[in-house]
């Protein structure tokens, strides 16, 4: 089966150039010009990868990327018009898989698409269904019930959830959660994780989502 690449781009000429190259390279493509149509189409077409332009009519790429990440781990390549912007985007931790700057050669885009798809194929499929996270509101729903997390608990859960099966040490988690250089001890992470697990258990006692790996750290894994 051909992989479906969703092209989100309001410049028609550019989009059709990309389509030609992608089709020649053995991909199927879907083109969307309006930012407002992206989310419903992502749910409907279930693309294997999204090429997402930052500047769009309707909604901007940043917002769209964040929102897609609340329900899907589909690989996203962000396309920006300014190279300086990439640093800023990286800092926002949108969850995009790669960044390409305009003007680009379509050949390079195809090469990056292949690389990102290959990388994505190496990870186990992400969990789905039971847990959904709203990064704007810091809200986590498990089986439709609000877990009522603190900001730190939400960040921990969100980070682990994005990388299912991967084990993180307490130190790595602290680096991710606390952006300032505040000194916190390993115990702090343990105590946040403990509360987080308690809240998960209150909703779904039989489901263990956050696993502790003795002497190493923690990982997220849905059974
Ligand atoms: Ca644009």
């Amino acid at each position: 089966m051909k992989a479906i690449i969703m092209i989100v781009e309001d410049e028609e000429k550019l989009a059709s150039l990309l389509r030609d190259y992608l089709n020649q390279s053995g991909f199927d493509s879907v083109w969307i010009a309006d930012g407002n149509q992206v989310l419903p189409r992502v749910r409907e077409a279930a693309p294997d990868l999204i090429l997402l332009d930052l500047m769009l009519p309707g909604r901007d790429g940043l917002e769209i990327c964040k929102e897609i990440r609340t329900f899907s781990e589909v690989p996203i390549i962000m396309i920006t018009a300014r190279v300086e912007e990439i640093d800023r985007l990286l800092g926002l931790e949108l969850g995009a898989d790669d960044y390409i700057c305009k003007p680009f050669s379509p050949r390079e885009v195809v090469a990056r698409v292949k690389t990102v798809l290959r990388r994505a194929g190496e990870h186990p499929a992400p969990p789905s269904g039971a847990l959904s996270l709203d990064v704007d509101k810091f809200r986590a729903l498990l089986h439709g019930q609000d877990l009522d997390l603190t900001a730190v608990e939400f960040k921990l859960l969100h980070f682990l959830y994005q990388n299912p099966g991967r084990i993180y040490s307490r130190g790595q988690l602290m680096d991710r959660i606390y952006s300032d250089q505040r000194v916190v001890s390993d115990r702090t992470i343990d105590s946040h994780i403990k509360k987080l697990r308690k809240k998960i258990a209150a909703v779904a006692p039989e489901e263990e989502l956050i696993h502790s790996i003795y002497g190493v750290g923690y990982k997220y894994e849905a059974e």
Side-chain angles (χ1 to χ4, degrees), residues 44-96:
E44 185 184 290
D48 296 285
L49 185 143
I50 303 172
L51 289 168
L52 179 59
D53 189 29
L54 188 66
M55 298 290 283
L56 293 164
R59 301 187 72 184
D60 78 14
L62 288 183
E63 227 183 284
I64 295 170
C65 185
K66 275 202 259 171
E67 198 151 335
I68 291 171
R69 280 289 172 265
T70 62
F71 67 92
S72 168
E73 287 295 308
V74 58
I76 297 173
I77 300 180
M78 289 282 276
I79 296 178
T80 82
R82 286 184 303 141
V83 74
E84 315 87 75
E85 200 138 56
I86 294 181
D87 263 350
R88 184 174 75 88
L89 293 175
L90 283 171
L92 293 176
E93 299 184 353
L94 299 166

